[in-house]
Amino acid sequence: MNLSFFDQFSSPSLLGIPLILIATTFPALLLSSQNNRWITSRMSTLQLWLINLITKQLMIPLDKKGHKWAMILTSLMIFLLLTNLLGLLPYTFTPTTQLSMNLALALPLWLATLLTGLRNQPSISLGHLLPEGTPTPLIPALILIETTSLLIRPLALGVRLTANLTAGHLLIQLISTATVVLISTMPAISLLTFLILFLLTMLEVAVAMIQAYVFVLLLSLYLQENI
């Protein structure tokens, strides 16, 4: 039983072929393509409104130099949002519960922000490693601490997203299993656990949206430090 709880996090395969690629590309199929009609559908209008809202929120911490990153950050936000929400449906696989995938998203983008700062303003970027007014005996220790905190940023991004989604999925499966087991012996307790399951599902929907926003927001803050 304990092993079956974690089977939902294993990458599905068909005839030995991993299906994670289909799981990652499926959210893009839900977005309606643009057309040349003067009058668009309600779905296209809602989609454009949502994209504009996300873009405005992500561009608030950035100055004009960082606005060229708008397409990358908005696309990442929509991808994470749809992937996290689709993973809450029954009998689905959530790619963002895989640490390897989250690190594959976080590491290149974090490295791009770091290299942007080293190319455009190397002295300011390196100056973040040593706060102004640091006592001389503490300089080596502070440089080591700031360097370590800088290098673990992509790991923190990936682990945060993975841990929050994994914990939520495990709680949902545990409580749903308890609801099914107790329905024949203790119907009142089963009804109570079902109510808890419903509230937890609503909470996980909020967590899925918040974690996608936090992931991209932290990347935008790292970008702002380097531009």
Side-chain angles (χ1 to χ4, degrees):
M1 180 64 69
N2 291 334
L3 292 178
S4 64
F5 287 155
F6 294 93
D7 288 345
Q8 59 177 319
F9 303 117
S10 60
S11 179
S13 59
L14 179 63
L15 300 178
I17 302 174
L19 301 179
I20 189 172
L21 182 60
I22 299 177
T24 54
T25 55
F26 181 74
L29 301 178
L30 300 178
L31 301 176
S32 60
S33 59
Q34 299 296 324
N35 51 48
N36 295 326
R37 297 179 180 177
W38 286 8
I39 302 177
T40 58
S41 62
R42 291 184 178 90
M43 183 60 66
S44 298
T45 304
L46 179 62
Q47 176 181 318
L48 289 176
W49 174 82
L50 182 61
I51 292 175
N52 291 333
L53 178 63
I54 293 174
T55 305
K56 289 179 181 179
Q57 291 296 323
L58 294 178
M59 293 299 106
I60 288 176
L62 299 176
D63 55 15
K64 292 184 179 180
K65 293 182 180 179
H67 289 179
K68 64 181 67 176
W69 289 65
M71 181 176 291
I72 297 177
L73 296 178
T74 304
S75 301
L76 179 62
M77 173 70 183
I78 295 175
F79 169 75
L80 292 176
L81 185 62
L82 292 178
T83 305
N84 294 348
L85 291 177
L86 288 175
L88 294 174
L89 298 176
Y91 303 104
T92 56
F93 172 68
T94 312
T96 45
T97 56
Q98 305 295 312
L99 181 60
S100 57
M101 176 177 174
N102 295 334
L103 289 179
L105 292 174
L107 186 60
L109 293 173
W110 167 82
L111 187 60
T113 60
L114 182 63
L115 294 178
T116 300
L118 293 176
R119 183 190 64 179
N120 297 334
Q121 45 183 16
S123 59
I124 298 178
S125 297
L126 294 177
H128 291 159
L129 301 179
L130 184 63
E132 186 177 357
T134 304
T136 304
L138 297 179
I139 289 179
L142 279 179
I143 292 178
L144 182 61
I145 293 173
E146 291 296 332
T147 303
T148 304
S149 65
L150 178 65
L151 295 178
I152 67 173
R153 281 181 174 181
L155 180 62
L157 284 175
V159 170
R160 181 187 296 107
L161 182 59
T162 304
N164 282 281
L165 295 181
T166 302
H169 284 64
L170 284 176
L171 282 175
I172 289 177
Q173 186 166 1
L174 285 170
I175 298 178
S176 61
T177 303
T179 303
V180 174
V181 171
L182 295 174
I183 192 171
S184 59
T185 57
M186 291 181 286
I189 303 299
S190 178
L191 179 60
L192 179 61
T193 55
F194 177 77
L195 294 177
I196 296 176
L197 178 62
F198 176 77
L199 295 177
L200 181 62
T201 304
M202 296 297 102
L203 177 63
E204 285 304 312
V205 171
V207 169
M209 295 186 290
I210 291 172
Q211 289 302 317
Y213 177 69
V214 168
F215 188 94
V216 184
L217 179 63
L218 288 176
L219 280 175
S220 65
L221 294 177
Y222 298 157
L223 176 63
Q224 179 59 31
E225 289 183 359
N226 292 282
I227 57 175

